[in-house]
Amino acid sequence: NARRANASIHHHVPATSSGFELFSCSDSDGYDGRGQQVGVRATRPYGAGEEILRERPCMRICTAHAARSSEEAESKFESALRDGFDSLSSVTAAAVMDLSSYNEQEFDGDTDNAARTPQGIFKTNSYKLGDEVGYGGLFLTVARMNHSCRPNAAHHWRPDLHMMVVHAARDIGVGEEICTCYGPGECRDTEARRSFLRERYSFECECDMCTEGNDAGGDDRMAAIGAFHDTIPLYIHSKPDEAIRRVDRCLELLTEQGIGHPKGPYVAPILHYGYQICLAGLHDEVRASSYLARELVSIQCSQGPGSYKAIDLQRLLHEME
């Protein structure tokens, strides 16, 4: 069970690049307060849709085990995680233990990570690996990216590459912190978002969107966007003119809220509704293809042109020509 330390083991460390760097952000504006003292910031400009990094997981662990009880499932998960951690090189293990653990922030003595465990760190920082049901991955650099409800970057697991890929969701300037979104996936108001993050990660979000609250109508916009998400599918066949109006209004609201960049990830599902409405409800292939082309731009710029989704959309567009 001893950790292997021979020369054949690959050392995973936080990625280095001429385009970004790790930095101490505990006193920075917009610090998310989750206890993480390190963030990632740009050292050169990034254009919207530009790829920032690709990273392989240092740990890939099965998180769903067949079991007769939740206690047995948790025990199997912890056993798999211990085995995975013990197989890491000492360099990689040290980098893992340097990450935050949301429920293990009561430090012992003078050593910051004395109370942290691999289990707590993995639960805090791991990501579901796309559609790979029951598997989570830990990425040493992506884990250093702090949260914003109005993120300037988007992460996406690429099963074809076996890597997490991060793209700029809008233009990013030199010195700007690179932030992704930890959730929630639904459009919620400030208190609901903060409640989710407080329960899941034990921090009070102080990003610019949460700080604004409803001062400029942000919570009202998020509620309207969420309502459009829920109601647009109901009108595709019965009221296509109303449905497409809602699509266009939803895109406007996303832009007003600062999360609607045409090369960002948030517009893609709404644009796909537009494609479906024009094709199945309005029977207008020309208009449908225009929505599909815009969706393709969003997917290519947030997941990569070689992603499965981008390839599927390209095929659909080609068939409509």
Side-chain angles (χ1 to χ4, degrees):
N1 203 32
R3 185 175 299 117
R4 295 177 296 176
N6 60 63
S8 66
I9 297 179
H10 179 70
H11 296 311
H12 290 266
V13 294
T16 57
S17 167
S18 60
F20 60 84
E21 64 182 1
L22 302 183
F23 76 108
S24 176
C25 62
S26 58
D27 297 321
S28 299
D29 292 337
Y31 173 56
D32 66 15
R34 102 183 140 126
Q36 179 149 304
Q37 303 297 310
V38 177
V40 180
R41 66 183 172 196
T43 56
R44 70 166 179 83
Y46 285 96
E50 187 174 353
E51 184 177 305
I52 297 173
L53 69 87
R54 297 182 179 189
E55 186 175 22
R56 294 187 184 279
C58 68
M59 296 177 68
R60 180 178 176 274
I61 305 296
C62 180
T63 57
H65 298 267
R68 289 167 293 185
S69 67
S70 58
E71 291 79 10
E72 182 183 356
E74 180 67 14
S75 176
K76 288 184 175 182
F77 162 69
E78 291 183 356
S79 177
L81 198 146
R82 281 194 301 271
D83 290 343
F85 181 77
D86 287 342
S87 71
L88 300 176
S89 73
S90 58
V91 173
T92 304
V96 169
M97 293 305 298
D98 198 37
L99 295 173
S100 63
S101 179
Y102 73 90
N103 62 350
E104 297 174 328
Q105 295 301 333
E106 294 297 327
F107 303 138
D108 296 332
D110 297 326
T111 305
D112 278 359
N113 67 356
R116 301 180 201 175
T117 65
Q119 290 88 348
I121 288 170
F122 188 87
K123 288 179 179 180
T124 299
N125 297 283
S126 63
Y127 289 86
K128 180 183 176 183
L129 300 183
D131 294 328
E132 295 186 31
V133 178
Y135 278 90
L138 182 62
F139 305 83
L140 292 175
T141 307
V142 177
R144 293 296 194 184
M145 293 182 175
N146 285 312
H147 165 83
S148 173
C149 298
R150 186 179 285 147
N152 58 11
H155 60 268
H156 179 74
W157 171 249
R158 288 281 299 272
D160 57 319
L161 301 174
H162 300 287
M163 288 184 171
M164 187 75 84
V165 182
V166 179
H167 290 82
R170 59 167 175 77
D171 293 345
I172 300 174
V174 175
E176 188 175 352
E177 183 172 6
I178 299 172
C179 294
T180 62
C181 181
Y182 299 173
E186 306 85 4
C187 292
R188 302 186 190 178
D189 64 18
T190 300
E191 181 48 43
R193 294 194 309 273
R194 281 179 163 172
S195 178
F196 168 86
L197 294 164
R198 194 183 304 123
E199 180 177 342
R200 176 65 180 83
Y201 297 104
S202 297
F203 73 84
E204 189 77 8
C205 187
E206 299 294 343
C207 74
D208 58 353
M209 185 186 288
C210 286
T211 301
E212 290 169 9
N214 203 37
D215 289 348
D219 285 345
D220 292 340
R221 280 191 294 271
M222 293 297 279
I225 292 167
F228 284 141
H229 267 285
D230 294 338
T231 60
I232 287 172
L234 305 178
Y235 296 121
I236 290 177
H237 297 284
S238 61
K239 298 180 180 179
D241 289 317
E242 172 62 17
I244 203 67
R245 186 195 69 79
R246 293 183 178 219
V247 163
D248 292 338
R249 179 56 184 150
C250 190
L251 292 170
E252 291 174 356
L253 289 170
L254 285 168
T255 300
E256 293 171 11
Q257 189 64 3
I259 54 176
H261 196 287
K263 293 184 178 180
Y266 294 103
V267 298
I270 305 302
L271 290 167
H272 196 74
Y273 281 143
Y275 157 74
Q276 292 175 316
I277 294 163
C278 292
L279 195 64
L282 299 174
H283 307 292
D284 186 340
E285 288 197 7
V286 173
R287 198 173 176 188
S289 66
S290 70
Y291 281 98
L292 196 63
R294 291 161 65 191
E295 182 188 1
L296 175 60
V297 170
S298 170
I299 294 298
Q300 287 178 326
C301 292
S302 58
Q303 299 182 14
S307 65
Y308 292 150
K309 181 67 173 179
I311 292 171
D312 285 344
L313 292 176
Q314 286 176 313
R315 176 183 53 80
L316 282 174
L317 272 174
H318 179 72
E319 292 173 354
M320 295 181 71
E321 292 177 353

